Amino acid sequence: MRSLDLDLIHSFTKMPHMTDLPFYKPHGNELELFEHAFLRQLPLLIKGPTGCGKTRFVSYMAEKIGLPLYTVSCHDDLTASDLVGRHLIGDGVTYWNDGPLTRAVREGGICYLDEVVEARKDTTVVLHPLSDDRRILPIERTGEILSAPPEFMLVVSYNPGYQNFLKGMKPSTRQRFVSLRFDFPKPELEQQIVMGETGADTMLAKKLVNLANSLRTLKEHDLEEAASTRLLVYTATLILSGFDPVDACRAALVEPLTDDEETAEALMEIVYASFGK
Amino acid sequence: MEEYVGALWHRLITDVADKRYPSEAVSLEQISKIAGILFRSWGGDSGLAVKSATATRHGAKRSLLQRIAGSNMKTELTWLDGETLNLPAIIDLFPQRDLNRDLYLWLIALAATHSEPALPWIQRNQRATQDVLERFPGLACRYQRLADAVLDMRPRPERLPHGEREQEEAIRAALLNPGSVERLPPARRPPQPVYLWLHPDPPASEPASGKSNDPQDHNAGDNIIKKEKDRRYQAERVDMPDSKDSFMMSFRAESILSWAEYIKVNRPTEEDDPPDDRPAEDLDRLSVAQDGKTAASRLKFDLDLPSAASDDRPLGDGILLPEWHYKKQLLQPAHCRLQPMLARGAEPLPLPAHLSATARRLRSQFAALTPSKVWLRGQFDGSELDLDACVQFSADRMGGLQAREQGLYKSHQYHDRDLACLLLADLSLSTDSYISDHERVIDVIRDTLFLFSEALSATGDRFALYGFSSLRRENIRFHILKEFERKYNDEIRGRIAAIKPGFYTRMGAAIRHASQLLVKQAATQKLLLILTDGKPNDLDQYEGRYGVEDTRVAIHEARQMGLRPFCVTIDEKGSNYLPHLFGISGYVVIRKPAELPRELPLLYAQLTR
């Protein structure tokens, strides 16, 4: 594959060259895919378990390309007008207020819809024309039809692990996106991430990553969700700030994963096996 | 008197001969859940069950006192086989409780790491010890404590005869410095059992193979004594002798000792009172013959399929379905035949009188779930103005209050429950057992089906009811109670009333067929409810792990199709295997079976809220 010229990308952008990038360690070709998708104006879907770096990846790419990032965390009451905008009532007048999606389309930028499956169904009405080759955003209320500039990019993410019975992504929506699967990084890489993120030494990072991988094997059988990289970072942060390692693991790794006392006791045994008792 | 003194002496001498600490004991039962989680997280196979091991003969030298007491011939060690992790039922070796518990954890770690069966015993265990210590540095100090305690218990090498002394020294060195000993010096006897290591010569377990013909369903029948501890014995399967010779002719009378030794003679098979199990605990090897004619089975049920005239009416030629073979890791196509059936002679019936009060209450509760159009107030968007909100807003503004963002519209929302639910009930013979003085499991299931249908017909959700049982892979009986397209009426109630227990539980095939029926429904949410009272099992190899793994794959396939499988069970031991099948949040165990009829509709409401 042809390597991309970053200048070409920057020619799209209004911002000067990147300043301080957020910390991100790539674990595959995701940087390249993002850049290609951006250049060719394709929308991107990122799927992966919670806390594996989806949001961080998007903000890193936004910073790297030099685009403003509009992040919307979707929830089950999020409607289309929360994305597009609505009329607000002022002193005797009403005025139109752009939603984050409209703002991103107008100004150019990355609109990132986190956990998109959580949003109400009527949001698909806005997302569909924007995510295929039309790239338009019709605003019913004002009668406008915005067409997206080249520097607009739609990125959505969801966690396929949540077996949310009531919500899933419709195939017709899913097939409008270029898709990227994230998983927890390989042990060596995850160590570097923990070290880069917190300043932990190799020993501690290795211990934590091994511990996390032990816990991850319990997913679906004993635990609903696997221990995320984010939890590891929290744990390392607590330890480095001087908190007792075992207690830090209990607070930041074990208790967030389970409510069941016996399971927590077993998880603590796994912690003791790594950190000693 | 003699007996009393004897018992006293036995207690005294065994106490003196074997130093154990029953007050500090830790039992497997106490830590079984933790044991399972630890084993899996440390890399053990998640399909294995944790069970208590039988004691095995170790053959090592015993002290004079032990010989007098007749104790310490056998010991409980840890080993793995294809289906189970076998751990000692109780550990009371050490005077501190913590140490006993640590030994359990250590053995679990060792078993989870244990990988190279080709190496000799001593090397294998040292290697595993090294691996564990390397992977879990936090266990090092525990290992040290355990090793010190174990070394204290072992015989002093200088007191042992030549040969055994070298052996003992090698073991001590290997415990202190794992990896330092290459081989075990030969000696006349095997060494003293090493409690920190895995079993030197794990007893081969008989696989649950296809040749089993056991007619007695393991959980069937109400007259089977529930055993608290299901220990594993080393078993040998022997053929039931055909010869009609009585043993008196060919054997000397001394041979009648035998709980222990198997002699191929014609034994009378009477079913008397439940046998005393104690002698069995002292045995190394139980010989089990497949009899095929226990009195209970003769009396209680006829295992042949009923004659065509009296059986339910089959529909069509049957449907061929695949089955998963976990050892081969492949899906065997067209391996089972599933036969849809309709109850013969089921008369239309009204709802049984004893349920009508509950049914009425459920119906009114569930009517609240009925899809209906509602006006949502205070919305940011909507088809009409929300006058109350507008008046409030204007008043606030005129009163000089800061205008804040608030919804001024009403919107007409259709609360859509686009839902289809298929309930699959286990009708195997195990449901014939009594749960109380006057109710069998099947009666509870019948009431559950009634109330569930009453509740769901009040909501308007689409639902179907099916039941299943099986007799080997060619005869999976799939009873049609209510199809999706049929209305719940007296005819359906008649079919529900006609369900009866029979045969076994080949769950995988039934789930596969039910999934196919459910996936054809146009609803966006599809719930597959499975109602059961025990593990999957059948006469052939479909028991133990085979059945569990096949069911697991069937569940997985259902998920792939976009269905949501959910299991409701009344099996108290369900938590041992259900997480493996359905995931941690995919099942619920109803502790009091009598509550099932009322619980299930509520559970349904919760699941589909």
Side-chain angles (χ1 to χ4, degrees), chain B residues 218-498:
Chain B
H218 290 300
N219 8 8
D222 43 298
N223 52 356
I224 293 192
I225 308 294
K226 266 195 188 166
K227 273 226 219 160
E228 274 309 305
K229 275 189 250 166
D230 54 358
R231 256 162 199 270
R232 287 174 64 91
Y233 289 95
Q234 291 184 58
E236 60 175 351
R237 278 263 154 84
V238 289
D239 294 328
M240 189 67 191
D242 286 332
S243 95
K244 298 283 179 222
D245 306 339
S246 156
F247 66 83
M248 294 307 279
M249 297 299 289
S250 31
F251 287 91
R252 284 182 303 154
E254 293 91 279
S255 309
I256 319 177
L257 278 175
S258 25
W259 257 81
E261 281 127 57
Y262 177 71
I263 304 160
K264 202 164 173 159
V265 290
N266 187 19
R267 288 164 201 255
T269 49
E270 281 164 25
E271 299 225 342
D272 19 331
D273 294 331
D276 186 0
D277 283 343
R278 272 172 304 170
E281 294 195 359
D282 291 335
L283 296 183
D284 286 335
R285 184 168 273 271
L286 292 183
S287 300
V288 183
Q290 298 250 327
D291 178 340
K293 47 171 187 183
T294 62
S297 62
R298 269 204 309 269
L299 288 175
K300 285 197 72 62
F301 59 93
D302 179 12
L303 268 165
D304 286 333
L305 289 167
S307 70
S310 62
D311 196 11
D312 293 341
R313 191 150 52 87
L315 302 175
D317 294 336
I319 297 157
L320 293 179
L321 289 167
E323 189 165 281
W324 177 255
H325 196 302
Y326 84 99
K327 278 196 180 139
K328 294 185 194 154
Q329 289 286 307
L330 65 88
L331 203 60
Q332 309 165 88
H335 194 69
C336 311
R337 182 185 298 276
L338 180 137
Q339 182 63 58
M341 312 192 108
L342 213 50
R344 190 182 291 268
E347 296 291 325
L349 283 176
L351 187 70
H354 70 281
L355 294 174
S356 59
T358 323
R360 211 173 316 122
R361 209 179 54 242
L362 279 173
R363 285 185 81 97
S364 66
Q365 279 175 356
F366 273 70
L369 291 175
T370 323
S372 57
K373 282 197 162 190
V374 282
W375 281 103
L376 296 178
R377 290 172 177 280
Q379 299 296 300
F380 284 105
D381 293 286
S383 47
E384 286 182 32
L385 284 175
D386 181 351
L387 279 183
D388 285 349
C390 288
V391 169
Q392 177 80 40
F393 179 80
S394 311
D396 282 356
R397 199 165 57 84
M398 284 177 196
L401 281 177
Q402 190 83 39
R404 60 201 155 78
E405 197 181 339
Q406 97 184 73
L408 300 177
Y409 295 94
K410 283 200 291 190
S411 98
H412 206 184
Q413 284 271 336
Y414 191 64
H415 261 285
D416 197 8
R417 285 171 62 83
D418 190 7
L419 188 68
C421 174
L422 190 151
L423 187 126
L424 185 62
D426 173 1
L427 303 180
S428 63
L429 195 73
S430 52
T431 58
D432 201 20
S433 51
Y434 277 82
I435 49 163
S436 65
D437 289 342
H438 47 271
E439 259 189 329
R440 292 172 301 167
V441 176
I442 191 80
D443 302 325
V444 170
I445 289 184
R446 190 177 296 121
D447 287 357
T448 308
L449 292 177
F450 276 131
L451 289 181
F452 186 76
S453 316
E454 290 292 325
L456 262 75
S457 52
T459 63
D461 290 348
R462 297 166 59 75
F463 71 104
L465 307 171
Y466 294 90
F468 74 98
S469 61
S470 69
L471 185 63
R472 300 217 177 77
R473 64 192 176 97
E474 315 84 35
N475 285 303
I476 296 149
R477 301 157 63 87
F478 198 73
H479 301 269
I480 300 169
L481 303 175
K482 176 189 175 301
E483 298 100 324
F484 278 108
E485 51 274 11
R486 223 171 252 270
K487 222 171 124 47
Y488 175 65
N489 53 20
D490 284 353
E491 189 193 337
I492 304 293
R493 280 190 271 264
R495 287 193 206 164
I496 295 177

Side-chain angles (χ1 to χ4, degrees), chain B residues 144-180:
Chain B
Q144 210 51 56
R145 282 200 296 268
L146 284 171
D148 289 346
V150 164
L151 286 178
D152 272 353
M153 287 168 45
R154 297 191 69 79
R156 310 217 69 82
E158 53 272 18
R159 293 201 196 147
L160 291 174
H162 179 66
E164 282 176 52
R165 185 186 312 152
E166 285 74 22
Q167 209 173 40
E168 185 56 33
E169 274 164 355
I171 288 177
R172 283 175 167 262
L175 281 172
L176 280 174
N177 298 307
S180 62

Side-chain angles (χ1 to χ4, degrees), chain A residues 156-266:
Chain A
V156 299
S157 77
Y158 81 107
N159 178 354
Y162 289 144
Q163 301 224 326
N164 195 332
F165 177 40
L166 308 173
K167 286 159 190 159
M169 209 168 191
K170 274 196 191 160
S172 59
T173 311
R174 205 173 349 186
Q175 291 200 12
R176 283 159 198 269
F177 290 87
V178 175
S179 297
L180 189 58
R181 179 185 289 277
F182 270 42
D183 207 342
F184 296 116
K186 294 209 171 63
E188 300 78 38
L189 193 67
E190 195 166 26
Q191 271 172 41
Q192 291 173 22
I193 292 171
V194 173
M195 286 155 67
E197 193 77 355
T198 62
D201 59 16
T202 326
M203 271 291 287
L204 177 63
K206 193 171 175 191
K207 257 188 191 176
L208 283 175
V209 170
N210 285 345
L211 181 59
N213 282 321
S214 291
L215 297 180
R216 278 172 198 159
T217 53
L218 296 177
K219 203 200 154 195
E220 292 193 346
H221 201 297
D222 306 284
L223 296 175
E224 269 178 82
E225 269 288 321
S228 62
T229 310
R230 177 166 44 216
L231 285 183
L232 283 192
V233 169
Y234 286 178
T235 316
T237 310
L238 279 179
I239 294 174
L240 288 175
S241 92
F243 201 59
D244 176 68
V246 171
D247 291 341
C249 289
R250 182 192 291 278
L253 264 179
V254 172
E255 295 297 341
L257 286 176
T258 179
D259 290 333
D260 181 68
E261 276 179 34
E262 246 181 307
T263 311
E265 196 185 337

Side-chain angles (χ1 to χ4, degrees), chain B residues 106-107 109-111 113-115 121-137 139-140 143-144 147 173-180 194 196-198:
Chain B
W106 173 256
L107 288 171
L110 212 58
T113 319
H114 193 62
S115 56
W121 173 66
I122 192 160
Q123 277 188 33
R124 193 167 70 208
N125 279 294
Q126 289 181 85
R127 178 77 57 83
T129 306
Q130 282 175 308
D131 285 351
V132 171
L133 291 177
E134 193 190 319
R135 283 177 57 204
F136 313 114
L139 288 179
Y143 176 74
Q144 210 51 56
L175 281 172
L176 280 174
N177 298 307
S180 62
V194 185
L196 274 181
W197 289 351
L198 300 184

Side-chain angles (χ1 to χ4, degrees), chain A residues 79 81 86 88-92 120-121 141 163 165-166 207 210 214-215 217-218 220-224 260 262-263 265-267 269-270 272-277, chain B residues 30 33-34 37-38 40-42 46 101 105 136-139 141-142 145 380-382 393 397 405 408 413 419 525-527 559 564 579-580 583-585 607 609:
Chain A
T79 59
S81 57
R86 60 168 57 96
L88 294 181
I89 300 166
D91 196 11
R120 279 207 203 158
K121 276 182 201 142
R141 285 291 157 81
Q163 301 224 326
F165 177 40
L166 308 173
K207 257 188 191 176
N210 285 345
S214 291
L215 297 180
T217 53
L218 296 177
E220 292 193 346
H221 201 297
D222 306 284
L223 296 175
E224 269 178 82
D260 181 68
E262 246 181 307
T263 311
E265 196 185 337
L267 300 191
E269 287 298 343
I270 303 170
Y272 292 140
S274 297
F275 282 90
K277 180 193 177 184
Chain B
Q30 289 164 355
K33 182 166 181 188
I34 296 177
I37 294 180
L38 286 178
R40 288 185 286 275
S41 88
W42 283 337
S46 67
R101 187 168 183 276
L105 303 185
F136 313 114
L139 288 179
C141 54
R142 290 193 197 188
R145 282 200 296 268
F380 284 105
D381 293 286
F393 179 80
R397 199 165 57 84
E405 197 181 339
L408 300 177
Q413 284 271 336
L419 188 68
Q525 305 161 22
K526 294 169 197 144
L527 180 62
R559 280 217 183 92
R564 179 167 169 195
H580 185 60
I584 185 79
S585 50
L607 282 175
R609 199 171 33 187

